[in-house]
Amino acid sequence: MPSTPEIEAYSAEADRFIAELDEEYYRHYAGLKDRLELEGIYEAHSSLMELENVQSVGAAVDGDRRVRELWQFGCEGYLGKFTREHAEKLAELEAELEVDVDGEQVPYRMIRPEMANEPDRGRRERLDRAMWEATEEHLNPVYLDGVEIVQRELPSLGVQTYRELYERFGFRLQDLAGQCEAFLADTEQLYEERMDRASRALLGLPLDELERWDLQRMLRSPQWDEGFPAEKMVPALRATLADLGIDLDSQQNIKLDIEQRPQKTPRAFCSPIEVPDKVMLVIQPIGGADDWRAFFHEAGHAEHFGNTSRDLTMEEKRLGDVAVTEGWAMTMQHLTDEPAWLSRKLDFPGPDEYAAEGMLWLLFFVRRYSAKLLYELEFHSASDLSGMPKRYAELLGDALKFEISETNWLADIDSGFYVTAYLRSWAFESQLRDHLRERFGNDWFAQREAGSLLRELWSLGQQPTADELLKDVTGAEIQMSAVGDRVREHLS
């Protein structure tokens, strides 16, 4: 069993490893370097991933949350060292691949934005089919090889399945799955009715004729473009934070990267390279409702990490329950669905109509991720993966009511059961929002007292779990049914 100094040394090196990884991911996905180069970072910190050291940390857990989080980190690092070349290869392929559609070369990473901006349904279908053909040919063999390697190494960590490993980390997977099944059943009729109404209004199609290549266009919500211009994104965030008593421009530790670069990913992201001293908020503004949602989501991450107390341990700043930081991201994101915020910040026409649409997309994504969790539990328990592509399409198709591509059966799985963080964060945000409205009013987002509370809670970093944080602030347990209640508030 490791001594206390040995645990401290392991923690300090883990801190540097995570910082270097975040820096590398930032530079690649911000378009500052062509290749994602992870091997050197893993080699420099190889002792973190040595099986003997990981097992030693695991033996020292004994109910100590901090050590358990280090053990989880070590296990993930041990598995990650076998698949880092796969991650590099996948990033390289995504950056370099192009597909031919109607005689035009379209970069792989730009296919979804192209579909979102394409009014012609036939071309959207051709883009979609080209994307999945490229995925099947070039990416899925890499994904599958990585999965098989992880499965081969799991017994070295004392488990037979990936699911068993995360249950040992304390993930309450079955309980959350039960809540998701109940959520799917409880919201099915509402989803079918409102999705049918939306698809008819936006695309002139009933739900039973909707295809997967239509979804990107619906999500793009082009009819709201005028209300969500690209040039107003950063000013709107700045003004929102100012009302909460937060001066974005004086936060030297939170750095905005808004430059246009050819290889920059079109999706906003946050890299907390040094918590709280160097947090990168990256955006390549496109405009439109979906782009604003993504930007405000990542701004929530940035404010959380940027306001985290320096006095916390590495584990409390960087590890812990990621549903906490996702909850803060959702809190910021869903401001863009609030009628009061829209009227106050954007002088928005038809804020109630737009808010209803925003809640439809919340319902869509929570149903999607509920089905995704059910799929991942089956996937990570299966001894034979041959039937999983079909099962993926069945579970998600049943939840969303249109045909799903089986080809996405591997790319749609995030490591570490991250799906649980999103699901719990949606419930956390719904319940916290109710509390903020009761305490500070419907315009809580414009109250400095609310901003003071947020900064106080952000300062806790990842020290509490999302369940503990919500319980402490509101007295309530995290419940997926709260999302259904929020959706009905706007869709009834």
Side-chain angles (χ1 to χ4, degrees):
M1 185 175 296
S3 65
T4 298
E6 287 171 330
I7 288 290
E8 294 299 333
Y10 188 92
S11 174
E13 186 170 357
D15 181 59
R16 292 302 84 213
F17 171 75
I18 296 170
E20 290 169 26
L21 275 186
D22 282 346
E23 177 86 40
E24 182 68 13
Y25 278 110
Y26 159 67
R27 291 181 60 77
H28 174 69
Y29 287 104
L32 293 169
K33 57 181 298 189
D34 293 335
R35 295 177 61 86
L36 181 67
E37 297 173 303
L38 304 179
E39 186 172 356
I41 300 172
Y42 274 86
E43 287 297 327
H45 301 281
S46 59
S47 63
L48 292 170
M49 296 86 184
E50 290 176 3
L51 183 59
E52 182 180 356
N53 290 337
V54 174
Q55 291 173 329
S56 178
V57 173
V61 172
D62 192 29
D64 186 319
R65 180 188 291 180
R66 181 189 177 199
V67 179
R68 186 182 69 188
E69 288 168 357
L70 276 179
W71 176 50
Q72 179 179 336
F73 163 82
C75 289
E76 291 172 342
Y78 173 75
L79 296 174
K81 75 177 180 180
F82 294 103
T83 57
R84 65 176 181 265
E85 292 181 3
H86 298 73
E88 290 175 344
K89 182 63 175 176
L90 288 165
E92 179 183 349
L93 287 168
E94 288 182 4
E96 295 179 354
L97 272 177
E98 294 185 339
V99 299
D100 185 290
V101 180
D102 302 335
E104 176 188 347
Q105 295 300 304
V106 181
Y108 183 86
R109 284 181 177 167
M110 293 304 295
I111 296 175
R112 284 190 171 90
E114 284 272 337
M115 278 194 283
N117 288 298
E118 178 54 65
D120 182 80
R121 195 181 187 206
R123 178 169 166 79
R124 290 201 301 270
E125 179 180 358
R126 292 189 291 277
L127 284 162
D128 176 88
R129 295 194 185 281
M131 177 176 67
W132 295 126
E133 286 171 7
T135 301
E136 181 65 23
E137 179 181 356
H138 298 285
L139 277 68
N140 275 358
V142 184
Y143 279 121
L144 185 57
D145 189 54
V147 167
E148 291 172 347
I149 289 172
V150 167
Q151 290 182 332
R152 184 193 70 202
E153 293 298 328
L154 285 169
S156 299
L157 299 174
V159 296
Q160 295 304 307
T161 68
Y162 200 72
R163 174 177 178 171
E164 182 186 352
L165 181 64
Y166 278 81
E167 287 174 336
R168 290 195 180 184
F169 295 151
F171 282 49
R172 296 164 57 191
L173 297 172
Q174 197 56 49
D175 174 70
L176 185 57
Q179 290 195 44
C180 287
E181 288 174 332
F183 180 85
L184 287 168
D186 183 53
T187 61
E188 181 155 8
Q189 182 177 349
L190 176 65
Y191 173 80
E192 288 181 342
E193 291 174 354
R194 296 307 298 237
M195 196 66 175
D196 180 74
R197 186 184 305 181
S199 62
R200 289 176 187 272
L202 297 175
L203 299 175
L205 298 168
L207 180 57
D208 59 9
E209 294 181 17
L210 195 69
E211 301 287 356
R212 60 179 182 264
W213 46 83
D214 298 318
L215 255 293
Q216 294 299 324
R217 184 64 176 168
M218 288 183 69
L219 274 169
R220 171 71 173 77
S221 300
Q223 74 277 17
W224 299 109
D225 277 358
E226 187 175 340
F228 292 102
E231 66 274 11
K232 288 190 176 181
M233 289 173 64
V234 175
L237 174 65
R238 184 179 288 114
T240 299
L241 292 174
D243 280 351
L244 290 166
I246 301 167
D247 183 357
L248 179 62
D249 295 326
S250 71
Q251 292 179 301
Q252 297 300 311
N253 56 331
I254 299 177
K255 304 180 187 303
L256 281 176
D257 181 342
I258 59 174
E259 292 182 23
Q260 299 281 340
R261 303 186 190 99
Q263 291 301 318
K264 192 176 191 181
T265 182
R267 195 74 173 175
F269 69 94
C270 173
S271 283
I273 297 168
E274 301 288 354
V275 180
D277 297 314
K278 185 180 179 182
V279 179
M280 306 302 298
L281 176 56
V282 186
I283 180 69
Q284 183 153 279
I286 298 171
D290 191 45
D291 203 29
W292 277 61
R293 293 184 199 113
F295 178 55
F296 271 72
H297 180 99
E298 298 304 326
H301 283 306
E303 288 298 327
H304 175 220
F305 288 119
N307 282 279
T308 292
S309 171
R310 290 183 179 84
D311 297 331
L312 298 177
T313 66
M314 184 281 287
E315 295 76 19
E316 292 166 340
K317 289 189 287 189
R318 291 196 183 273
L319 304 180
D321 180 8
V322 290
V324 174
T325 191
E326 290 299 343
W328 295 126
M330 294 298 179
T331 300
M332 290 297 294
Q333 174 186 330
H334 286 298
L335 283 179
T336 66
D337 296 323
E338 285 283 357
W341 183 88
L342 291 166
S343 298
R344 187 182 184 99
K345 294 301 175 194
L346 293 177
D347 191 23
F348 198 86
D352 292 314
E353 181 184 352
Y354 176 76
E357 185 177 315
M359 287 302 99
L360 174 61
W361 290 121
L362 174 61
L363 178 58
F364 170 86
F365 279 110
V366 179
R367 287 183 63 85
R368 188 186 191 286
Y369 273 70
S370 292
K372 196 161 108 74
L373 173 61
L374 300 179
Y375 166 70
E376 290 187 18
L377 288 175
E378 289 190 22
F379 181 95
H380 287 306
S381 302
S383 56
D384 179 7
L385 297 178
S386 61
M388 295 315 296
K390 181 179 179 181
R391 190 66 181 136
Y392 171 78
E394 287 174 348
L395 284 168
L396 271 79
D398 185 57
L400 303 179
K401 310 306 177 187
F402 57 84
E403 184 180 358
I404 302 295
S405 174
E406 294 184 7
T407 308
N408 205 27
W409 71 291
L410 293 166
D412 201 20
I413 296 177
D414 299 313
S415 63
F417 277 107
Y418 208 94
V419 60
T420 64
Y422 285 126
L423 287 163
R424 292 169 57 240
S425 74
W426 277 311
F428 172 91
E429 185 272 336
S430 293
Q431 292 169 268
L432 183 68
R433 168 184 173 268
D434 287 343
H435 174 79
L436 291 171
R437 290 202 306 173
E438 290 171 6
R439 185 168 173 181
F440 301 109
N442 285 344
D443 63 346
W444 65 265
F445 50 82
Q447 306 300 320
R448 286 181 173 252
E449 295 86 353
S452 296
L453 175 61
L454 291 178
R455 289 196 300 275
E456 178 186 341
L457 298 175
W458 288 338
S459 73
L460 301 175
Q462 303 278 93
Q463 183 183 48
T465 66
D467 304 77
E468 290 167 345
L469 188 59
L470 187 70
K471 182 79 170 178
D472 184 56
V473 174
T474 72
E477 305 282 347
I478 286 181
Q479 292 292 331
M480 292 302 300
S481 58
V483 182
D485 294 338
R486 178 174 186 186
V487 167
R488 287 188 179 89
E489 176 188 333
H490 290 287
L491 293 186
S492 61

